[in-house]
Amino acid sequence: MAATASPTAATAVLRPSLAAPQPTRRSAMPLLPPRFGSPAFPTSLKISLESRRSSLLQTRASSSEESSAADASELFTDLKEKWDALENKSTVLLYGGGAIVAVWLSSILVGAVNSVPLLPKILELVGLGYTGWFVYRYLLFKSSRKELADDIEALKKKIAGAE
């Protein structure tokens, strides 16, 4: 194909254009406003906008640091109070250690199942089917959503020991 191109077409492509290239719009997005460095903005306006922007950034940064420090200290004091109020600290440590071991073992199991060639796709289909059934059974109709909310509230009461 390149051998059949005419010499005039090749020179037209390689010859630089003397006129400035016209930008072509290929997007439906609106054009952006001119940048601050352009002469469209007077320098006094540019300086005031930059100083205003920097003061806003400084205010936001200082307020977010203070609030995160306050939240962290609140969190630690709350956790310390709850830890001191516990009677069976060994039981909590045992359950926490058991949860970590369970997560570790489940990650090993998932890795083993994932290495079997066809099994992950079959399990994805089973999960998709169960999700579809759950949506149809509990989320599609108003009466079934009410039933699900009641079941969740009953479970919360049973776990909390109120029932």
Side-chain angles (χ1 to χ4, degrees):
M1 286 184 182
T4 61
S6 68
T8 57
T11 56
V13 171
L14 298 176
R15 187 174 3 146
S17 174
L18 296 176
Q22 297 294 326
T24 57
R25 276 190 78 177
R26 296 183 182 165
S27 172
M29 299 291 290
L31 292 175
L32 294 174
R35 297 178 61 169
F36 285 120
S38 69
F41 285 104
T43 56
S44 62
L45 179 63
K46 181 171 68 170
I47 291 171
S48 68
L49 286 175
E50 288 176 359
S51 65
R52 181 176 172 203
R53 185 177 66 193
S54 66
S55 67
L56 286 174
L57 291 175
Q58 289 174 352
T59 304
R60 289 182 187 155
S62 65
S63 66
S64 66
E65 287 175 4
E66 290 173 3
S67 66
S68 67
D71 291 341
S73 66
E74 261 183 56
L75 177 70
F76 286 130
T77 56
D78 190 34
L79 285 175
K80 188 176 184 314
E81 289 173 4
K82 289 187 179 190
W83 181 254
D84 292 336
L86 284 175
E87 293 178 10
N88 296 330
K89 293 180 175 129
S90 60
T91 306
V92 171
L93 290 176
L94 186 66
Y95 281 142
I100 290 171
V101 169
V103 167
W104 176 66
L105 286 174
S106 65
S107 70
I108 291 174
L109 181 68
V110 167
V113 166
N114 201 19
S115 67
V116 176
L118 198 56
L119 198 56
K121 295 297 177 187
I122 292 171
L123 290 176
E124 284 181 26
L125 287 175
V126 168
L128 186 63
Y130 182 76
T131 303
W133 172 82
F134 185 85
V135 166
Y136 176 75
R137 171 69 177 90
Y138 289 111
L139 302 177
L140 202 56
F141 303 109
K142 187 175 182 177
S143 61
S144 60
R145 286 192 300 265
K146 175 73 172 142
E147 179 186 345
L148 177 64
D150 292 340
D151 289 344
I152 291 173
E153 288 299 322
L155 184 64
K156 282 182 188 177
K157 288 179 183 175
K158 187 185 287 186
I159 290 172
E163 195 172 288

